[in-house]
Amino acid sequence: MTKETRIAAAINLDGTGQYDIKTGIGFLDHMLEQLSRHSLIDITLRAEGDLHIDYHHTTEDSGIVLGECLSKALAGRAGIRRYGSALIPMDETLTEVALDASNRPYLIWKVNFSKPKLGTMDTELFKEWFQAFAQLGGLTLHVWNHYGENNHHIVESCFKGLARALRVACEVDPRQATAVPSTKGVL
């Protein structure tokens, strides 16, 4: 909780893609629902923010809180596959997402929009959400939109790509169910 937002969230990595999300920003809710559904991570999130100013704080802080939830759920990161990637076609759009759940946060964002707004939401806020999620989730995250014309499709393919990559990276690897996937022994 800050002076700008109040957010409560919970996730279940071993879920079925069930969600109950209310941020006050319809398009962000839609994207987080896609994240849940396609990652099979159950997400419950309630956010109240200073939407009378703009959507920045609520968007960024929801990424922070969900990233914290992910990092906490991964705990010592033992047994996970660690790496995940996805190539997502969506009509005229193609987006690639690759991630390493290494606990070394970094974002590469190669996504361009043709308009500054998508509905009432500033398109620049999507990078802010992914940056916050990667930082607090401990993810090295690369998001690359190869091409696309429809901004809705571009954003949605980014969230679906993240979801599918997370689904693989966070799965337990039965061949190393208790080992940390690093020669250092920690992540």
Side-chain angles (χ1 to χ4, degrees), residues 72-114:
K72 188 175 184 179
L74 290 173
R77 300 177 192 237
I80 63 170
R81 293 189 187 277
R82 180 178 166 179
Y83 298 98
S85 63
L87 192 59
I88 303 296
M90 191 167 178
D91 297 343
E92 85 300 340
T93 298
L94 183 67
T95 298
E96 186 172 4
V97 176
L99 68 84
D100 176 6
S102 62
N103 214 14
R104 289 191 310 273
Y106 200 89
L107 176 67
I108 297 293
W109 180 258
K110 295 189 177 216
V111 180
N112 294 306
F113 299 104
S114 62

Side-chain angles (χ1 to χ4, degrees), residues 96-178:
E96 186 172 4
V97 176
L99 68 84
D100 176 6
S102 62
N103 214 14
R104 289 191 310 273
Y106 200 89
L107 176 67
I108 297 293
W109 180 258
K110 295 189 177 216
V111 180
N112 294 306
F113 299 104
S114 62
K115 296 178 182 173
K117 287 201 176 279
L118 187 51
T120 59
M121 189 161 185
D122 296 327
T123 51
E124 70 182 8
L125 294 179
F126 297 111
K127 180 181 180 184
E128 296 297 326
W129 187 91
F130 276 82
Q131 178 69 43
F133 185 73
Q135 285 294 313
L136 278 292
L139 304 175
T140 298
L141 179 58
H142 294 245
V143 183
W144 181 16
N145 173 245
H146 292 283
Y147 48 82
E149 296 174 16
N150 182 297
N151 290 308
H152 184 123
H153 294 163
I154 291 169
V155 173
E156 191 164 340
S157 65
C158 292
F159 276 89
K160 287 179 176 177
L162 173 61
R164 298 301 288 198
L166 273 174
R167 183 173 168 178
V168 173
C170 295
E171 279 182 337
V172 172
D173 184 344
R175 294 180 62 197
Q176 63 171 11
T178 59

Side-chain angles (χ1 to χ4, degrees), residues 60-80:
E60 183 178 36
D61 290 358
S62 70
I64 288 170
V65 170
L66 286 175
E68 288 174 335
C69 287
L70 176 68
S71 188
K72 188 175 184 179
L74 290 173
R77 300 177 192 237
I80 63 170

Side-chain angles (χ1 to χ4, degrees), residues 14 43 90:
D14 300 317
I43 299 175
M90 191 167 178

